Amino acid sequence: MAAGTVLETVTAEEASRVIDAAAAKATEIGQPMDIAVVDAGGNLKAHVRMDGANIGSITIAINKAYTAIAFQCETGDLQELTRPEGPIYGLNDAHGGRLVVFPGGIPLVREGSIVGAIGVSTGTIEQDQEVAEAGVAAF
Amino acid sequence: MAAGTVLETVTAEEASRVIDAAAAKATEIGQPMDIAVVDAGGNLKAHVRMDGANIGSITIAINKAYTAIAFQCETGDLQELTRPEGPIYGLNDAHGGRLVVFPGGIPLVREGSIVGAIGVSTGTIEQDQEVAEAGVAAF
Amino acid sequence: MAAGTVLETVTAEEASRVIDAAAAKATEIGQPMDIAVVDAGGNLKAHVRMDGANIGSITIAINKAYTAIAFQCETGDLQELTRPEGPIYGLNDAHGGRLVVFPGGIPLVREGSIVGAIGVSTGTIEQDQEVAEAGVAAF
Amino acid sequence: MAAGTVLETVTAEEASRVIDAAAAKATEIGQPMDIAVVDAGGNLKAHVRMDGANIGSITIAINKAYTAIAFQCETGDLQELTRPEGPIYGLNDAHGGRLVVFPGGIPLVREGSIVGAIGVSTGTIEQDQEVAEAGVAAF
């Protein structure tokens, strides 16, 4: 039916490798996590909810990954900017409930281009960030 | 913060096994697929979008799995019931755009209890169903 | 703030060229149109509502372009498949109100890869399709 | 089907002129932007995402323009009013995720009547405002 195939950015193999590395770190620190990878368009490529991870964090993990694509930055970079006295306070209310402005979402970068992102949720923000970084390191 | 952990139904290991079996069948028939597994609460447990699968089928696959939990049946069972002359015509309009009424979603059953579901999308409905059945067979 | 830049698929210059060609055809046939171009991720790249075009067609045009990305096909290809007796009847209810299953949305293809899509709405489906094709021809 | 045509407020030619002037300023300051123009009804008239601008800012730019129409003011005028100690704290939560309460959205005024608005996003709020003002100046 198609005239072609939508260009892949992050591949399924890469997404799997990133999630496995993140899950290994989550296991190491004893904190089950929701882990999501999206492609450069912000569309879900893969997701795993480890046993014991939060149901609510399914969406938070996906939205962290989406936010990292949406604003070309780590979600943690938005934290101070969006606090009550910050210059873009209110950003997280301005996009239909899809943005996350605390750590745990990080772009996946290849040769200067953001080709996907990982989002991690359920733990503390320090844990989420640590697990996301472990995923990025495997990319 | 919690005194316990939400009851696990399908585990991450089981979801991974189901998805891997489904993906193997998809590869065998030469049709990349979106494959999702949800738990007994209808919440996403794991998802993979194979390279070349549809972006639009992310949501369709997840919603097929959700529908199989939501109505305790295969999504294909709803097809004739919901056609214009059927007894529950309109069902698919009645749930905010989350129901799928054609094949590709199947419950995962353990000892008579539905503990999760698989949803598959991108191919023809025959292919989607075949791949979903391959996933169920590995459960 | 960013570690890189999200990979561009269809460029702003290309989107502008496609929309201008579509608008020229719309003017030629005397039917003002909403015209949208999305990138490979289904995200809006550019949009124009010609004077006299429908307000309701803003979303229909954007969703036609999104649907062409989402299912890697022309929206018109989905029409017979989703009719009451068709194999995927109900598809258009299964994705939260984002899918359009009649003509007017066409992928933009470069060297075998779908890198974007155009969506056109306000006229008859024949007019919408003709104007979308004029846009594609300029890509 | 209609006996008339919905009243045009800002025209497509005007929207194009406003966006081109804003984009020229964005290029001058070296910051690619999402730029949207809505009509007096708050409905999208035209949009351009410059190469390198944020995907997440598509919605933010459109919502800035919408907010400027919705409350007949610049979005920056809402910033202090909506902070935690302000009189309308919570406004940005009260409209389904469509309001933006920081600079970058400005009404387009003709002979004392607001006939449309421009919204700009991706840069700092100072840059967004500067680019929006350049667009307004061309109206």
Side-chain angles (χ1 to χ4, degrees), chain A residues 8 12 39 44-45 49 51-52, chain B residues 8 12 39 45 49 51-52:
Chain A
E8 295 291 338
D39 65 17
L44 191 62
K45 187 67 186 177
R49 174 158 50 100
D51 297 337
Chain B
E8 295 292 336
D39 65 17
K45 187 67 185 176
R49 172 158 51 101
D51 298 338

Side-chain angles (χ1 to χ4, degrees), chain B residues 67-68 71-83 87-88 91 100-107 129:
Chain B
T67 301
F71 295 101
Q72 309 184 35
C73 65
E74 297 195 18
T75 56
D77 295 339
L78 297 169
Q79 191 167 37
E80 295 311 316
L81 298 173
T82 57
R83 289 202 194 269
I88 50 172
L91 175 72
V100 186
V101 295
F102 46 84
I106 309 179
Q129 181 72 12

Side-chain angles (χ1 to χ4, degrees), chain B residues 19 23 30 96 103 124:
Chain B
I19 287 179
T124 64

